Amino acid sequence: MRFIFSIIRKIIVINVLLLLGAKVAQKFLPDDRDTSGDEFDVTTVMEESIFGSTAGGLRRAGLTTLYGSSEVDLRDASLSTTGAGVNVFTFMGQTTIRIPNGWTVLSEQTVLAGSLERIGGDVPEHPEGTIHLTGATVFGATVIVREE
């Protein structure tokens, strides 16, 4: 019985340290939420975050979600002629990216004990733009929602 309580105690201590580390890391991670900028970063730690972009030529986005939930709406944005690179890091949380129906997503994301989900309409035959998705999801979910 002591062995079980010892393991439970260690698990609790490790989680508390991870949470404190995530909160400290938030101060050093980029969070530039320029709604009309062609590049932006969204960092969410232990909270819910909703961000919408109206960029005229989106080139890059960085999304970091630690123990929380981020939703990024790109339906009112336009991509640059070469598309956009979107780097997503999700740890014990969920990152949702909403895209218009005419875009396609090429994913090179690493998923460990989590999921990469695509919800919505079919991939267009002649896409209006391409998002190059990179990064990692660990014990969480990255969800791409294509509006129908």
Side-chain angles (χ1 to χ4, degrees):
M1 196 63 136
R2 287 185 203 179
F3 178 71
I4 292 173
F5 285 126
S6 172
I7 290 174
I8 291 172
R9 205 172 15 252
K10 289 176 184 175
I11 290 172
I12 291 171
V13 168
I14 288 170
N15 278 316
V16 168
L17 291 174
L18 284 171
L19 287 169
L20 290 173
K23 207 57 178 166
V24 169
Q26 182 178 17
K27 296 182 185 324
F28 301 102
L29 293 171
D31 192 6
D32 175 25
R33 300 180 190 213
D34 183 3
T35 58
S36 61
D38 293 341
E39 297 185 1
F40 64 85
D41 293 289
V42 174
T43 299
T44 304
V45 178
M46 293 191 287
E47 60 188 11
E48 180 181 5
S49 172
I50 298 173
F51 175 78
S53 175
T54 59
L58 183 64
R59 291 186 309 264
R60 187 198 63 79
L63 312 173
T64 303
T65 305
L66 307 171
Y67 297 101
S69 171
S70 297
E71 181 176 322
V72 177
D73 191 345
L74 301 177
R75 292 175 293 180
D76 293 329
S78 299
L79 293 176
S80 71
T81 56
T82 58
V86 178
N87 187 19
V88 177
F89 178 73
T90 304
F91 181 76
M92 289 192 173
Q94 178 171 317
T95 303
T96 303
I97 304 169
R98 297 188 179 280
I99 62 171
N101 196 26
W103 292 6
T104 189
V105 177
L106 299 177
S107 176
E108 296 178 18
Q109 192 178 48
T110 303
V111 178
L112 176 65
S115 68
L116 173 60
E117 303 172 28
R118 295 174 192 226
I119 299 172
D122 295 331
V123 177
E125 281 186 43
H126 305 288
E128 298 168 11
T130 302
I131 290 180
H132 303 276
L133 186 66
T134 59
T137 298
V138 182
F139 298 112
T142 297
V143 182
I144 308 296
V145 179
R146 183 186 322 279
E147 296 304 315
E148 297 185 45

